[in-house]
């Protein structure tokens, strides 16, 4: 390994992962020096990392190397005037984003009679949206696949909390969707408080645990990023019921690579997602 030219070694590592590059550092000091080089770690950074860094709201301390920059970007960074967060997966180098509630299109979101905006503990943003009361619940977000890692399976998650005063959220299922190009993923969820174990249609909505302060996730759907730039549309709505709903706190939509693994027998936390047949 020590006899391999640095540019050739960098090319070899470009087919590996950041985790594998770190593992090679224990081989020898020479290999460590080559594996830590800017030539290697620049290949793990997004192609437009310079433009992304320029959008960070509060830049961190200057990074002395591309590896230091990679490690810094593994921590969620506020960008675009604090309306989004950006980070990369430490293990794979894949790009992740979270759109704040302000980046979403929320029906009547600017009407104080229906929604209030305030700081919420644990949020990455300066404010989240809390539903006061409404009968038409609908919110949508979008992102370009060009902002994400190509040839990657992603999932979109709506991050929420359920206030103690919540009501009407699980009277009817909410519809969730992800659309990109000609691909459409539609489904339905029952939004449950984290302490709920109620049943509907013979299914149970599992509890996410006793900690009420944690953000809960509603999976909106999955999509695959090709090489073409397309707009991904994501959303949740419950507009069939005429009853009032309230107490839903919305932090935003998180888009991150989907981990393909066996799900628990209880399914996803606090919601039951039933696919809708075409």
């Amino acid at each position: 390994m020590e006899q391999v030219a640095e540019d050739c070694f960098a090319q070899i590592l470009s087919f590996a992962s950041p985790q594998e590059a770190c593992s090679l550092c224990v081989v020898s000091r020479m290999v460590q020096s080559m594996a830590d080089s800017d030539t290697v770690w620049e290949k793990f950074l997004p192609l437009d990392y310079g433009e992304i860094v320029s959008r960070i709201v509060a830049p961190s301390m200057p990074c002395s190397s591309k590896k230091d920059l990679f490690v810094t970007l593994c921590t969620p960074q506020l960008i675009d005037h604090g309306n989004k967060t950006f980070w990369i997966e430490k293990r794979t180098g894949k790009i992740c984003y979270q759109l704040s509630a302000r980046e979403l299109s929320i029906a009547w979101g600017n009407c104080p009679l229906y929604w209030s905006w305030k700081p919420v503990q644990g949020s990455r943003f300066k404010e989240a949206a809390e539903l006061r009361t409404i009968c038409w619940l609908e919110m949508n977000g979008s992102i370009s696949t060009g902002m994400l890692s190509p040839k990657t399976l992603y999932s979109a998650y709506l991050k929420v909390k359920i206030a103690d005063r919540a009501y009407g959220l699980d009277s009817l299922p909410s519809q969730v969707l992800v659309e990109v190009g000609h691909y459409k993923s539609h489904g339905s969820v029952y939004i449950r408080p984290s302490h709920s174990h109620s049943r509907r249609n013979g299914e149970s909505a599992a509890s996410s645990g006793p900690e009420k302060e944690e953000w809960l996730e509603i999976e909106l759907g999955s999509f695959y990023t090709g090489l073409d730039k397309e707009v991904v549309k994501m959303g949740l709505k419950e507009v069939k019921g005429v009853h009032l709903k309230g107490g839903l706190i919305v932090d935003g939509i998180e888009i991150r690579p989907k981990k393909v693994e066996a799900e628990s027998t209880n399914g996803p936390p606090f919601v039951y997602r039933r696919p809708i047949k075409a």
Side-chain angles (χ1 to χ4, degrees):
M1 291 291 292
E2 294 177 359
Q3 296 177 359
V4 178
E6 183 174 338
D7 58 344
C8 183
F9 188 75
Q11 183 64 25
I12 293 172
L13 282 185
S14 67
F15 297 101
S17 68
Q19 186 178 37
E20 291 167 337
C22 290
S23 299
L24 279 173
C25 291
V26 301
V27 174
S28 70
R29 290 183 180 180
M30 179 66 70
V31 172
Q32 178 182 2
S33 176
M34 296 169 67
D36 284 346
S37 69
D38 284 351
T39 305
V40 169
W41 283 91
E42 189 164 20
K43 293 183 178 295
F44 297 140
L45 291 167
L47 293 177
D48 58 345
Y49 69 87
E51 188 267 338
I52 292 171
V53 169
S54 69
R55 293 156 56 195
I56 295 178
V57 172
S60 304
M61 295 180 63
C63 299
S64 58
S65 67
K66 293 296 191 297
K67 184 177 181 179
D68 287 343
L69 178 59
F70 179 92
V71 173
T72 298
L73 293 180
C74 287
T75 301
Q77 303 287 336
L78 280 172
I79 64 172
D80 296 347
H81 309 290
N83 290 324
K84 300 185 189 79
T85 54
F86 166 91
W87 71 100
I88 51 182
E89 280 192 337
K90 190 172 185 178
R91 185 177 60 86
T92 64
K94 299 290 187 180
I95 293 173
C96 308
Y97 276 95
Q98 184 178 344
L99 312 179
S100 69
R102 282 292 186 190
E103 282 285 298
L104 308 183
S105 174
I106 301 177
W108 292 285
N110 291 323
C111 179
L113 179 65
Y114 303 121
W115 291 87
S116 64
W117 295 82
K118 61 183 183 181
V120 176
Q121 183 179 3
S123 174
R124 291 172 176 161
F125 307 103
K126 65 179 182 180
E127 59 183 358
E130 180 171 358
L131 177 60
R132 292 181 180 272
T133 184
I134 206 168
C135 62
W136 187 288
L137 177 62
E138 183 174 10
M139 59 195 74
N140 297 284
S142 64
I143 191 170
S144 170
T145 58
M147 298 171 61
L148 304 171
S149 298
K151 298 183 178 180
T152 302
L153 180 63
Y154 277 90
S155 282
Y157 302 88
L158 182 68
K159 297 191 68 175
V160 300
K161 287 185 180 182
I162 312 297
D164 291 336
R165 66 171 190 85
Y167 57 91
L169 296 173
D170 62 348
S171 298
L172 288 174
S174 296
Q175 308 305 306
V176 294
L177 66 91
V178 168
E179 298 182 355
V180 51
H182 297 293
Y183 171 80
K184 296 182 180 181
S185 169
H186 290 227
S188 65
V189 298
Y190 279 102
I191 303 177
R192 310 281 199 211
S194 59
H195 52 76
S196 173
H197 291 273
S198 60
R199 292 178 177 268
R200 188 174 300 270
N201 293 338
E203 298 290 342
S204 64
S207 169
S208 64
E211 180 55 61
K212 296 181 180 180
E213 293 303 318
E214 293 181 355
W215 289 102
L216 308 174
E217 294 183 339
I218 301 175
E219 184 172 1
L220 303 178
S222 302
F223 62 95
Y224 184 78
T225 55
L227 298 178
D228 296 330
K229 294 182 180 180
E230 297 181 288
V231 176
V232 183
K233 299 178 181 178
M234 309 155 285
L236 175 145
K237 66 179 180 180
E238 198 290 280
V239 299
K240 295 181 179 179
V242 296
H243 63 285
L244 293 176
K245 298 169 274 288
L248 182 68
I249 304 171
V250 180
D251 192 43
I253 294 179
E254 186 168 302
I255 304 102
R256 64 178 189 262
K258 183 178 181 66
K259 290 185 174 64
V260 181
E261 57 187 6
E263 293 186 355
S264 69
T265 55
N266 289 330
F270 93 100
V271 294
Y272 166 57
R273 189 173 191 273
R274 184 179 67 247
I276 295 179
K277 294 182 180 179

